[in-house]
Amino acid sequence: MPKLKREEGEERATDFVESLDRGLRLLQAFGNLSGPMTLSDVARAAELPRATARRILFTLERGGFVASDGKLFKLTPHVLTLAGAYLRSNQVVAVLQPVLDRISSAAQEISSLALLDGDEVVFIARGSPARVFSTGLDIGYRLPAFCTSVGRAMLGRFEDHELARRLRAMRREALTPHTVTDPKALLKTIVADRSKGYSLVDREAEPHFRSISVPVRRYDGTIVAAINMGAHVDRVPLRELTDRFLPLLREGAEDVKDKLL
């Protein structure tokens, strides 16, 4: 008898591996607290029974992802192989990294590449000028999408009705006195940014920082990422973002359009 084929989107209970889900949640729990954690700390942070957390920690320790002195547990650098595998296999990073390096060198400012992950943006690559002391958003850093220039550039990929729904549903807490949180005002801004082809945010995500971003499109015009440049408000005036940074960002995004699948 031939096997029945599942319809697309249909999920069976047997397709879900609960132990793997718990293990991943436990790994993420280490980011909730700084420094080594006790078994009780880990179980509480991961919302798991103590006995379950103990078994998972033992398994992760055997795999080299966790180290313990018998009382305290901490992640090992081996965990970075998971992030490294993602970065090495991601076409967007491979294609955009030379662009980030080029525009950073030209502007003598840090440039970053971000992806949209739910209601947040995550920074996955950066280019930095040849200066010993440079600061910027680290790879893996996350911020709310609604109040960042990269987030607004990528949110512009949604149709107006879907964008309005997402803005109403997402958590919108003010990060600075300048943060816009009203969903109608945000919708108007993002629609206008989509028309302009760039997004500029002034002190909404961080109190002394402004940034400008452009969407990165693949061959068919779909927005898949965003690249940005920014600086401290006391060092770079607002007009410089559009006069000097924006042309570099636009050129870089246009150069990769036909290379992204």
Side-chain angles (χ1 to χ4, degrees), residues 63 69 81 90 99 137 155 164 178-179 190 199 201 209 226 236 239 253:
D69 61 3
T81 61
N90 189 292
V99 171
L137 299 173
L155 286 171
H178 299 276
T179 307
I190 295 171
S199 176
V201 168
F209 191 81
V236 176
R239 183 66 179 268

Side-chain angles (χ1 to χ4, degrees), residues 153 156-157 194 197 215-225 253 256-260:
R157 74 189 188 191
R194 181 203 297 150
V216 175
R217 300 176 183 272
R218 66 185 187 192
Y219 70 97
D220 61 356
T222 300
I223 296 174
V224 295
V256 303
K257 186 174 181 180
D258 294 334
K259 301 176 184 177
L260 293 172

Side-chain angles (χ1 to χ4, degrees), residues 70-87:
K71 182 180 179 181
L72 297 175
F73 297 87
K74 64 180 181 180
L75 298 181
T76 72
H78 192 55
V79 171
L80 296 176
T81 61
L82 301 176
Y86 168 76
L87 294 174

Side-chain angles (χ1 to χ4, degrees), residues 114-130:
L115 298 180
L116 189 64
D117 186 15
D119 294 339
E120 296 181 318
V121 294
V122 56
F123 292 85
I124 61 171
R126 61 180 287 187
S128 181

Side-chain angles (χ1 to χ4, degrees), residues 97-112 126-131 228-229 244-245 248-249:
Q97 186 63 61
V99 171
L100 297 178
D101 294 338
R102 185 174 74 244
I103 63 179
S104 290
S105 178
Q108 285 297 292
E109 299 289 347
I110 290 173
S111 61
S112 301
R126 61 180 287 187
S128 181
R131 293 184 295 188
N228 89 323
M229 302 185 78
R244 190 162 68 92
F245 295 173
L248 294 170
L249 291 168

Side-chain angles (χ1 to χ4, degrees), residues 13 120 125 129 148 184:
E120 296 181 318
T148 56
K184 291 184 179 179

Side-chain angles (χ1 to χ4, degrees), residues 43-185:
R44 186 165 46 250
E47 299 181 349
L48 292 172
R50 181 184 169 95
T52 301
R54 181 181 180 277
R55 291 194 300 270
I56 295 173
L57 284 169
F58 178 74
T59 302
L60 292 172
E61 187 175 9
R62 287 283 298 271
F65 295 99
V66 168
S68 173
D69 61 3
K71 182 180 179 181
L72 297 175
F73 297 87
K74 64 180 181 180
L75 298 181
T76 72
H78 192 55
V79 171
L80 296 176
T81 61
L82 301 176
Y86 168 76
L87 294 174
R88 288 191 299 272
S89 65
N90 189 292
Q91 185 203 29
V92 176
V93 174
V95 172
L96 265 298
Q97 186 63 61
V99 171
L100 297 178
D101 294 338
R102 185 174 74 244
I103 63 179
S104 290
S105 178
Q108 285 297 292
E109 299 289 347
I110 290 173
S111 61
S112 301
L113 167 66
L115 298 180
L116 189 64
D117 186 15
D119 294 339
E120 296 181 318
V121 294
V122 56
F123 292 85
I124 61 171
R126 61 180 287 187
S128 181
R131 293 184 295 188
V132 177
F133 299 106
S134 63
T135 59
L137 299 173
D138 293 331
I139 294 174
Y141 194 75
R142 307 176 76 90
L143 283 170
F146 79 94
C147 62
T148 56
S149 62
V150 285
R152 291 178 183 174
M154 287 184 284
L155 286 171
R157 74 189 188 191
F158 298 109
E159 297 290 339
D160 290 1
H161 67 281
E162 173 64 11
L163 176 58
R165 185 193 68 79
R166 284 176 173 267
L167 290 171
R168 289 193 302 269
M170 68 175 57
R171 188 175 181 179
R172 305 179 310 278
E173 290 187 356
L175 301 184
T176 78
H178 299 276
T179 307
V180 177
T181 59
D182 179 69
K184 291 184 179 179

